[in-house]
Amino acid sequence: MRKKPNLAPRMERCARVLVSEPEALRGKWLSAFPRFAALELEIGCGKGGFTAALAERQPETLLVAVERVPDALVVAMERVCAQRLDNALFLCEDAKLLENDFEPGEISRIYINFCDPWPKSRDAKHRLTAPGFLRSYARLLPVGGELCFKTDNRPLFDWSLAQLRTEGWEIRECSYDLHANGPVGIMTDYERKFHEQGMRICRVAAVRTAATVSEGEPGRLRNASLADAYANQISEEREK
Ligand SMILES: C[S@@+](CC[C@H](N)C(=O)[O-])C[C@H]1O[C@@H](n2cnc3c(N)ncnc32)[C@H](O)[C@@H]1O
């Protein structure tokens, strides 16, 4: 991400949509914003194309978008301000810290779109669909709450599906080629580019159930290299 000129004044101009002390709202988001019926979270919103479109489509929902890179976040905030949307707010922080900002069960749906794949096995714990993160999401969501994940990266998708199943999430919808019959749902900024290049988009919607693992530290991830998964997939396809 290129450094944005005048980042500080641009952030300042969007101050109305940036929550600078989210911990103060922990457990109180919907009472602080009583107009809204539900609270949803987008993790790694990037430049906010999905955020703005979703907020516009769901005016009754308060959407909180999290992004740790200010140079991306500022573009997302400017979009939401330019569209005069009043139901999207932003946090500039790492997803690891979300439990400081939200109480267990406070969020009804989480979106993760085109997250960084962290292909090496030793970095697998940083994937936003790694078991450590999934357990944190399971605490943030109530039973019945939903996690929606999209990616163009098939090895990452397969790996993430396996983690969701192992951690006891119920797979409600799953597609390996979401737009095969024409565009479906809101496309993110990355998604539009990949789709135009002819790449297949994978999407899963998974539900947190009573059996979903929500406590404890997951064990060390082994054999989690996406390069190996990719090589296996190619050789399986050749064998078919
Ligand atoms: C590849 S971009 C995708 C952006 C957007 N979701 C889209 O589909 O167009 C991934 C974004 O997630 C952000 N991100 C990655 N890990 C994060 C984390 N742990 N906490 C917050 N943001 C994160 C990155 O800074 C980046 O902007």
Side-chain angles (χ1 to χ4, degrees):
M1 171 65 57
R2 234 176 279 141
K3 290 268 162 240
K4 292 280 175 292
N6 306 319
L7 180 64
R10 286 172 66 179
M11 294 282 278
E12 192 55 41
R13 279 196 288 276
C14 300
R16 80 161 179 89
V17 293
L18 181 65
V19 184
S20 49
E21 289 179 16
E23 306 87 353
L25 287 167
R26 191 174 188 271
K28 301 181 202 146
W29 286 85
L30 286 182
S31 50
F33 300 96
R35 187 165 81 67
F36 301 109
L39 177 62
E40 297 188 351
L41 181 71
E42 182 190 358
I43 302 177
C45 69
K47 294 182 182 175
F50 180 84
T51 320
L54 184 65
E56 191 173 26
R57 189 173 288 193
Q58 298 188 167
E60 73 295 345
T61 300
L62 177 60
L63 177 62
V64 177
V66 182
E67 172 53 60
R68 66 180 176 187
V69 176
D71 295 275
L73 183 76
V74 75
V75 178
M77 296 199 307
E78 285 173 345
R79 265 174 151 155
V80 160
C81 288
Q83 286 180 238
R84 298 183 188 281
L85 295 164
D86 65 355
N87 60 329
L89 295 172
F90 293 88
L91 310 184
C92 188
E93 70 177 29
D94 197 291
K96 275 187 254 174
L97 303 173
L98 285 170
E99 287 182 80
N100 296 332
D101 309 330
F102 301 96
E103 261 192 356
E106 197 171 8
I107 293 162
S108 50
R109 186 177 286 128
I110 297 176
Y111 301 91
I112 299 172
N113 294 318
F114 299 85
C115 61
D116 307 313
W118 293 97
K120 290 183 183 154
S121 186
R122 67 161 184 265
D123 292 326
K125 61 179 179 298
H126 300 302
R127 295 175 195 152
L128 288 176
T129 51
F133 279 110
L134 294 183
R135 289 184 192 186
S136 174
Y137 308 151
R139 292 189 287 271
L140 294 171
L141 293 167
V143 167
E146 205 174 43
L147 174 64
C148 301
F149 171 55
K150 289 198 277 191
T151 181
D152 61 306
N153 186 316
R154 179 66 190 269
L156 174 66
F157 189 68
D158 288 343
W159 186 86
S160 303
L161 269 182
Q163 308 314 307
L164 286 163
R165 290 198 171 104
T166 306
E167 294 284 311
W169 293 73
E170 180 192 311
I171 306 302
R172 182 169 286 170
E173 291 161 26
C174 180
S175 172
Y176 293 92
D177 192 359
L178 182 63
H179 308 302
N181 301 315
V184 173
I186 297 169
M187 284 208 200
T188 79
D189 299 310
Y190 271 69
E191 186 172 4
R192 188 163 302 109
K193 265 190 245 163
F194 294 140
H195 178 61
E196 282 166 10
Q197 290 165 15
M199 292 164 79
R200 289 184 194 163
I201 306 300
C202 302
R203 177 181 182 272
V204 60
V207 180
R208 190 255 202 253
T209 71
T212 301
V213 183
S214 62
E215 296 303 330
E217 272 297 305
R220 218 180 120 210
L221 291 164
R222 293 176 196 281
N223 303 321
S225 154
L226 293 183
D228 292 347
Y230 180 69
N232 291 341
Q233 192 189 313
I234 297 285
S235 64
E236 273 171 26
E237 278 171 13
R238 280 206 192 111
E239 279 163 24
K240 271 183 205 161

